[in-house]
């Protein structure tokens, strides 16, 4: 752990979970009776969650670790980074939904007879989904981490099946079934860690449930237990994160869910699962570095598979979903490199992809909203009628592809530098090649949709720019992509601080990396010097 | 501390395997539900038996009784009303029986040779813990087998329930002192997941006219 940080008992971690949960309860209770109430409640709830997350982020950045319920909820810089990411994308998704979902529920939805009933269900489950993701990022209890991650699956299950047509129902069934089976493996892993940890000298009893305690004693775990637990955790949380070959649920769910939910699924939910994976598995990096090598291999496999599958898609949302598989591969690659710079780059790409992919999904939703068409081949020449959406889509596409001067460029560059620095040239080679494929896939789609001759679907309908709330939410994310791209120093401190809470391997001597104070890094840790080079 | 009879544990464990097999192989979904209910009651029996050694498990036993033996069978019973016959599965009874025996042998061997990997235990409880783990892993793998080889969506939910039962049973040996809040969280999630899955399967039945998962082909690569 970071020894310079001070643990402080605080109500904030509990409050940031409680607020969206209470909002959900109020929406379910009163949403049907007052037409504007559910939207107002959702907006207020998610805004409060965002403000609380920012406060937690500020405090953790200034040397505090906030804890609630003894240390069951634990907000260090890593958790704070994640909850800020979740709250920000959730805020944008809720703003986007305000007008968008009114339009969508006219075409159907959960088997409620009224528009009001459908919207109440939508906002209620949405707020529960947000609160469970925040809970997962703050849980220090390893079993409750599993419970929170699974709760986020449950809360989003009906959102995936929201349109209640054949495609949505099929996606919802696969989503709930595959993720529950997958995540059950992670329960085995969590229980194994607890069972072994609680029997170690100095841990014992309920302390064995705390990740912060297990991390301190990870070097005492038998290697066989480490291998078994890591395998279960990678299968379990990896399934939820969309890591190949456990990803088949992802394109279905992300494509068939309502667009604001797609933005949350691709933007943040898979990152929350990746966070759970990182929180648990990396505690063994100093003791048993082959775990990192396995993660690296899996990451590279995932980024290649995701990109190749994205190439073959004509459905716009499905193509973006496969692109998310690819980008989660990059993030896993960063964590698999395992050095301080690798972890830093993985976290940086996690944040950048959350912003850029949410933007792409929201822009895709705006296109579908205005044209009613989601096949790329049936679209064309939209830029004249939807200039802001066109601009936002191109920004998102270039950011995800890692083009300068956008945010994705910096994190991908950091990933490749980290890979090269650790001697993993083969991974860097695959990463660069896959990045080029991503660029081709996304720019080709953008060109077909927005440039050229107007297609029949675009010309024949009264297509125009999406409503104001939709445009505003897209612009917020587009500005963030540009802002972080042009001035990346602004986000270095929280990401660097968050990275200091993840254990690393040491590539310079292939031995145990320091677990005492990873924030500072050892004098011979080349990767820590690399961060300084990038920063200054 | 009250002594647990190893014979009792072995008998309950054997019955657990048999009820799992019956839940997977019964072609009538309501018969499968009854087999699942019997298994849930057996788990409760096992947990009550273990709770004489570890009182923390009493809470787990009561929770299991409510969730596994009452709520989940009730949901399954309602979901199968008027649709009791299962879609023909990929693998029939004979091969399934062979697979079950092979699985049981492998799990028994694995847990008795390598149980130390999973759980620290005293010598006197080793046999009980090893047997319990062997049964838990077999039930888990049988659940996975059902999900992979059964075409009927409701049968896959029963498979999921078996899978969860296997994990929960293993908790008895691996983490008997786990906190009540964690246990409540785990148990509640299973019930809610099963309810939501059956709710969605109800929608699938009304839109597709079947619960055959092979007919769910709207979404391709």
């Amino acid at each position: 752990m970071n020894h310079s940080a001070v643990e402080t008992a605080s109500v904030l971690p509990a409050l940031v979970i409680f607020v969206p949960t209470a909002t959900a309860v109020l929406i379910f209770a009163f949403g049907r009776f007052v037409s504007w109430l559910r939207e107002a409640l959702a907006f207020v709830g998610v805004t409060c969650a965002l403000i609380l997350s920012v406060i937690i982020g500020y405090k953790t950045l200034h040397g505090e670790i906030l804890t609630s319920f003894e240390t069951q909820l634990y907000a260090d810089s890593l958790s704070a980074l994640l909850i800020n990411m979740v709250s920000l994308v959730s805020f944008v998704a809720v703003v986007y939904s305000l007008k968008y979902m009114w339009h969508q529920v006219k075409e159907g939805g959960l088997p409620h007879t009224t528009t009001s009933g459908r919207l109440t269900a939508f906002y209620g489950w949405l707020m529960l989904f947000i609160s469970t993701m925040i809970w997962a990022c703050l849980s220090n209890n390893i079993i409750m981490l599993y419970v929170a991650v699974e709760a986020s699956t449950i809360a989003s299950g009906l959102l995936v099946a929201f349109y209640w047509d054949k495609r949505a129902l099929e996606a919802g069934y696969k989503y709930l079934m595959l993720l529950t089976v997958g995540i059950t493996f992670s329960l085995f892993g969590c229980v194994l860690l607890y069972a072994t940890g609680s029997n170690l000298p100095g841990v014992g009893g309920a302390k064995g449930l705390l990740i912060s305690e297990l991390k301190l004693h990870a070097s005492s775990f038998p290697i066989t237990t480490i291998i078994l637990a890591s395998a279960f955790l990678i299968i379990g949380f990896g399934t939820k994160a969309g890591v190949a070959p456990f990803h088949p649920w992802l394109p279905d769910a992300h494509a068939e869910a309502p667009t604001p939910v797609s933005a949350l699924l691709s933007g943040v939910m898979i990152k929350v699962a990746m966070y759970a994976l990182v929180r648990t598995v990396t505690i063994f990096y100093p003791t048993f570095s082959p775990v990192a090598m396995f993660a690296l291999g899996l990451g590279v496999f995932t980024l290649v598979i995701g990109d190749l599958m994205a190439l073959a898609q004509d459905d716009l949302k499905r193509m973006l979903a496969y692109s998310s598989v690819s980008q989660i591969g990059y993030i896993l690659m960063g964590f698999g490199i395992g050095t301080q710079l690798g972890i830093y780059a993985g976290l940086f790409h996690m944040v950048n992809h959350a912003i850029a992919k949410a933007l792409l999904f929201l822009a895709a939703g705006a296109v579908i909203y205005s044209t009613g068409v989601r096949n790329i081949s049936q679209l064309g020449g939209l830029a004249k009628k939807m200039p802001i959406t066109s601009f936002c889509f191109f920004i998102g596409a270039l950011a995800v592809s890692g083009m300068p001067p956008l945010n994705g460029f910096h994190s991908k560059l950091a990933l490749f530098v980290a890979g090269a620095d650790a001697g993993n040239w083969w991974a860097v080679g695959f990463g660069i090649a896959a990045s080029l494929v991503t660029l081709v896939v996304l720019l080709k789609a953008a060109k077909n949709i927005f440039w050229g001759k107007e297609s029949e679907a675009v010309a024949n309908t009264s297509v125009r720019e999406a409503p104001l709330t939709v445009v505003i939410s897209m612009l917020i994310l587009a500005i963030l992509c540009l802002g972080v791209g042009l001035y990346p120093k602004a986000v270095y401190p929280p990401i660097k601080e968050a990275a200091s809470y993840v254990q690393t391997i040491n590539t310079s001597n292939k031995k145990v990396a320091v677990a005492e104070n990873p924030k500072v890094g050892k004098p011979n840790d080349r990767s820590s010097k690399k961060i300084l080079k990038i920063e200054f | 501390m009250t002594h647990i009879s190893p014979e009792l544990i072995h008998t309950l464990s054997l019955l657990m395997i048999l009820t799992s097999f019956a839940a997977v192989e019964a072609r009538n979904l309501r018969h499968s539900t009854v087999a699942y209910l019997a298994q849930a009651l057996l788990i409760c029996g096992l947990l009550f038996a273990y709770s004489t050694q570890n009182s923390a498990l009493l809470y787990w036993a009561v929770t299991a009784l409510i969730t596994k033996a009452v709520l989940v069978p009730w949901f399954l019973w309602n979901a199968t009303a008027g649709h009791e016959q299962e879609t023909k599965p990929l693998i029939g009874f004979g091969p399934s029986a062979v697979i079950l025996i092979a699985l049981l042998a492998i799990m028994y061997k694995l847990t008795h040779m390598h149980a130390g990997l999973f759980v620290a235990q005293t010598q006197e409880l080793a046999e009980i813990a090893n047997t319990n783990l062997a049964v838990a892993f077999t039930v888990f793998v049988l659940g996975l087998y059902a999900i992979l080889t059964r075409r009927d969506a409701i049968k896959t939910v029963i498979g999921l329930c078996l899978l969860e039962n296997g994990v929960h049973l293993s908790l008895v040996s691996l983490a008997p002192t786990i906190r009540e809040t964690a246990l409540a969280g785990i148990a509640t999630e299973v019930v809610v997941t099963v309810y939501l899955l059956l709710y969605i399967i109800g929608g699938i039945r009304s839109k597709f006219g079947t619960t055959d998962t092979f007919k769910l082909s709207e979404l391709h690569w």
Side-chain angles (χ1 to χ4, degrees):
Chain A
M1 73 176 272
N2 186 341
H3 290 298
S4 61
V6 180
E7 281 187 18
T8 312
S10 168
V11 72
L12 287 173
L15 205 56
V16 75
I17 299 168
F18 174 77
V19 168
T21 310
T23 309
V25 172
L26 290 173
I27 290 171
F28 280 125
F30 304 111
R32 286 164 195 256
F33 305 118
V34 187
S35 63
W36 51 268
L37 189 63
R38 55 189 166 256
E39 283 89 350
L41 281 169
F43 182 76
V44 170
V46 80
T47 306
C48 290
L50 180 58
I51 292 168
L52 289 167
S53 300
V54 170
I55 296 170
I56 292 171
Y58 177 83
K59 283 178 175 282
T60 55
L61 199 55
H62 290 80
E64 283 188 69
I65 293 173
L66 305 179
T67 62
S68 294
F69 304 114
E70 296 174 349
T71 50
Q72 296 293 310
L73 297 178
Y74 193 87
D76 57 16
S77 292
L78 180 57
S79 301
L81 180 73
L82 265 291
I83 63 168
N84 272 283
M85 190 179 83
V86 171
S87 302
L88 175 70
V89 177
S90 301
F91 173 79
V92 173
V94 168
V95 172
Y96 187 93
S97 304
L98 296 175
K99 185 77 180 174
Y100 185 89
M101 288 313 294
W102 266 103
H103 178 267
Q104 293 295 297
V105 292
K106 287 179 198 161
E107 294 169 14
L110 292 174
H112 291 280
T113 50
T114 62
T115 302
S116 177
R118 288 172 189 157
L119 284 172
T120 301
F122 174 80
Y123 284 108
W125 285 110
L126 188 70
M127 294 311 290
L128 278 181
F129 182 34
I130 294 166
S131 73
T132 51
M133 285 192 289
I134 294 175
W135 177 24
C137 297
L138 290 170
S139 180
N140 189 31
N141 180 316
I142 195 159
I143 302 295
M144 295 313 275
L145 173 68
Y146 153 81
V147 171
V149 172
E150 173 63 357
S152 71
T153 305
I154 292 171
S156 51
L158 284 185
L159 290 173
V160 170
F162 184 80
Y163 290 131
W164 216 249
D165 55 19
K166 280 186 171 182
R167 293 171 67 95
L169 285 163
E170 185 178 335
Y173 167 75
K174 285 182 184 171
Y175 177 77
L176 272 176
M177 180 58 80
L178 291 180
L179 285 193
T180 305
V181 171
I183 209 75
T184 305
F185 279 88
S186 71
L187 177 59
F188 256 136
C190 292
V191 168
L192 208 50
L193 290 187
Y194 164 62
T196 313
S198 60
N199 285 311
L200 293 175
V203 187
K207 274 173 82 178
L209 284 168
L210 300 178
I211 299 168
S212 53
E213 289 293 330
L214 293 173
K215 184 177 166 184
L216 292 174
H217 296 85
S219 58
S220 306
F221 278 63
I223 295 296
T224 41
T225 306
I226 292 175
I227 294 171
L228 271 173
S230 298
F232 284 134
L233 291 167
I234 288 172
I235 293 172
F237 293 133
T239 302
K240 175 108 176 172
V243 172
F246 316 114
H247 68 285
W249 64 271
L250 190 150
D252 296 347
H254 291 210
E256 299 312 319
T259 295
V261 179
S262 303
L264 281 174
L265 292 172
S266 250
V268 288
M269 190 198 79
I270 55 176
K271 275 81 170 187
V272 170
M274 185 58 77
Y275 159 84
L277 186 60
V278 168
R279 244 325 173 205
T280 49
V281 172
T282 58
I283 64 173
F284 299 118
Y285 272 15
T287 316
F288 190 65
S289 58
V291 174
M293 185 49 78
F294 181 67
L296 176 63
L298 210 54
V300 172
F301 177 65
T302 303
L303 68 89
V304 171
I305 290 288
D307 260 335
L308 291 178
M309 294 307 296
L311 261 176
Q313 304 305 316
D314 186 41
D315 183 312
L316 177 56
K317 286 181 78 176
R318 212 168 167 76
M319 183 269 286
L320 293 177
Y322 272 114
S323 165
S324 289
V325 173
S326 170
Q327 299 307 309
I328 212 76
Y330 280 101
I331 294 165
L332 187 59
M333 176 183 156
F335 296 129
I337 290 167
T339 60
Q340 199 178 12
L341 182 59
I343 302 291
Y344 170 87
L347 285 173
F348 196 7
H349 198 59
M350 194 186 257
V351 173
N352 287 337
H353 182 250
I355 299 168
K357 188 47 68 67
L359 172 60
L360 279 173
F361 266 108
L362 296 189
V367 169
I368 296 164
Y369 179 99
S370 296
T371 64
V373 175
R374 53 191 278 177
N375 285 345
I376 298 167
S377 57
Q378 292 172 10
L379 291 161
L382 255 180
K384 285 178 193 167
K385 291 183 173 175
M386 301 182 73
I388 301 174
T389 303
S390 167
F391 167 76
C392 291
F393 193 94
F394 270 95
I395 291 286
L398 291 170
V400 169
S401 307
M403 288 292 110
L406 295 155
N407 57 346
F409 167 72
H410 298 283
S411 50
K412 280 201 175 173
L413 179 65
L415 272 171
F416 299 148
V417 171
D421 190 49
N424 297 312
W425 284 99
W426 62 276
V428 175
F430 276 112
I432 292 172
S435 248
L436 293 173
V437 176
T438 306
L439 183 67
V440 170
V441 169
L442 291 175
L443 283 189
K444 190 177 154 209
K447 175 186 157 290
N448 287 347
I449 295 166
F450 295 104
W451 290 351
K453 194 182 163 193
E454 282 187 0
S455 69
E456 197 178 332
V458 175
N460 287 350
T461 56
S462 53
V463 176
R464 58 172 184 269
E465 191 58 88
L468 186 63
T469 51
V470 171
V471 169
I472 288 172
S473 48
M474 287 191 296
L475 282 174
I476 292 172
L477 295 175
I479 290 167
L480 279 171
C481 284
L482 270 169
V484 175
L486 292 171
Y487 192 69
K489 276 186 181 178
V491 295
Y492 284 157
I495 294 169
K496 190 182 166 193
E497 188 70 20
S500 74
Y501 284 88
V502 183
Q503 301 286 64
T504 59
I505 59 164
N506 192 335
T507 54
S508 57
N509 56 12
K510 303 286 182 191
K511 282 185 179 175
V512 173
V514 72
E516 296 300 320
N517 192 352
K519 182 186 176 187
V520 177
K522 272 190 149 183
N524 66 345
D525 188 344
R526 288 181 289 153
S527 55
S528 62
K529 291 177 192 166
K530 197 64 71 181
I531 286 183
L532 295 176
K533 280 183 193 171
I534 284 180
E535 264 193 318
F536 305 112
Chain B
M1 185 180 285
T2 316
H3 177 69
I4 306 178
S5 156
E7 287 74 25
L8 171 68
I9 298 297
H10 284 144
T11 308
L12 287 175
S13 299
L14 183 64
L15 287 171
M16 285 277 298
I17 301 285
L18 290 176
T19 49
S20 296
F21 188 67
V24 175
E25 288 306 317
R27 295 290 168 260
N28 185 304
L29 292 168
R30 289 209 155 171
H31 294 170
S32 282
T33 305
V34 171
Y36 173 77
L37 171 62
Q39 185 183 77
L41 290 171
L42 286 169
I43 288 186
C44 296
L46 266 172
L47 291 169
F48 277 120
Y50 283 125
S51 69
T52 58
Q53 303 222 330
N54 179 359
S55 59
L57 290 174
L58 191 60
Y59 180 84
W60 198 199
V62 174
T63 311
L65 188 67
I66 297 167
T67 56
K68 293 179 189 299
V70 177
L71 292 175
V72 169
W74 181 39
F75 296 155
L76 286 169
W77 194 262
N78 288 337
T80 51
H83 306 277
E84 294 177 21
Q85 206 55 37
E86 179 195 354
T87 313
K88 194 180 175 190
L90 279 179
I91 299 176
F93 181 85
S96 288
V98 174
I99 290 168
L100 168 76
I101 292 165
L103 280 176
L104 186 59
I106 292 166
M107 294 303 165
Y108 192 86
K109 187 95 175 165
L110 268 179
T111 51
H112 281 68
M113 284 174 68
H114 304 291
L117 288 178
F118 303 107
V119 57
Q121 57 204 313
T122 57
Q123 190 60 41
E124 66 209 82
L125 293 175
E127 177 56 28
I128 291 174
N130 292 349
T131 303
N132 186 48
L133 275 179
V135 172
F137 291 167
T138 307
V139 173
F140 177 85
V141 179
L142 261 178
L144 201 57
Y145 173 75
I147 292 167
L148 293 173
T149 62
R150 307 294 110 159
R151 292 175 58 165
D152 196 291
I154 291 181
K155 188 52 91 58
T156 62
V157 175
I158 293 173
L160 183 68
C161 294
L162 295 179
L163 186 107
E164 298 279 358
N165 278 356
V167 180
H168 297 174
L169 194 58
S170 72
L171 288 177
V172 177
S173 292
L174 293 171
T177 56
I178 202 166
R179 276 193 167 188
E180 289 85 352
T181 44
L183 290 177
I186 293 169
T188 308
E189 284 195 334
V190 177
V191 176
V192 180
T193 306
V194 168
Y195 179 80
L196 287 181
L197 267 170
L198 292 174
Y199 185 59
I200 289 175
I201 290 169
I204 287 173
R205 184 182 282 138
S206 68
K207 299 282 180 185
F208 288 83
T210 176
T211 51
D212 183 357
T213 51
F214 277 30
K215 300 277 170 64
L216 304 182
S217 53
E218 291 288 315
L219 305 170
H220 294 289
W221 292 98

